Amino acid sequence: MAELATIARPYAEALFQVSRADLAATQSWLDGLAGAAASDELLQFAADPRVNARQVFEVVTGVLKNSLPERGANFLRAIIDNSRLAALPEVARQFRDLANAVSGSSDALIQSAFPIDDSELNSLVTTLEKRFGRKLQAQVQIDPALIGGVRVTVGDEVLDTSVKARLEQMKMALTA
């Protein structure tokens, strides 16, 4: 949604500017906030006119696994005061993009039909880093619909070596 991206951009950029010294820690607590803000129930609660900003703040911080540092608490208060809770997931995504640009890395979503053990994951990430030409921050997601193999998404690039994709290619070839 373009509007949400536009709303989120100044928050992500401002947070990035004040957090340059500790981007990883900031990304960690920001991801926690984004996960909480992705809840429809929380957004409905926050939109209720009978609920004040302090109550929303307490609910959000109450569902987090870790407590927020002072900068995180202040950031959350600014988001709540400006009724931008729904933009938090997009703020986190844009912040991650800014941090990745500085470090020269990218996020990689690796979807696999089966769990990948650590040694296989390290080997796969090393191969993918050579293929994409940059350092990758890998996140693994299990998707049994792939049947076998992996599907890797890095930015807007997709490398699909899954059995499902190969079956689709065969189907297309046979029906053409």
Side-chain angles (χ1 to χ4, degrees), residues 116-124:
I116 302 173
D117 69 32
D118 289 341
S119 64
E120 290 174 331
L121 180 60
N122 291 336
S123 175
L124 177 60

Side-chain angles (χ1 to χ4, degrees), residues 76-118:
L76 178 58
R77 284 185 186 96
I79 290 286
I80 292 169
D81 289 345
N82 293 305
S83 301
R84 301 297 193 212
L85 204 55
L88 263 175
E90 181 64 19
V91 171
R93 189 195 65 73
Q94 288 186 23
F95 182 89
R96 182 178 301 279
D97 289 346
L98 291 168
N100 284 345
V102 167
S103 69
S105 65
S106 293
D107 291 329
L109 174 61
I110 301 173
Q111 295 172 301
S112 174
F114 303 101
I116 302 173
D117 69 32
D118 289 341

Side-chain angles (χ1 to χ4, degrees), residues 163-173:
V163 173
K164 179 180 179 180
R166 291 183 183 175
L167 289 173
E168 288 294 325
Q169 290 171 350
M170 288 173 49
K171 177 182 173 185
M172 296 296 287

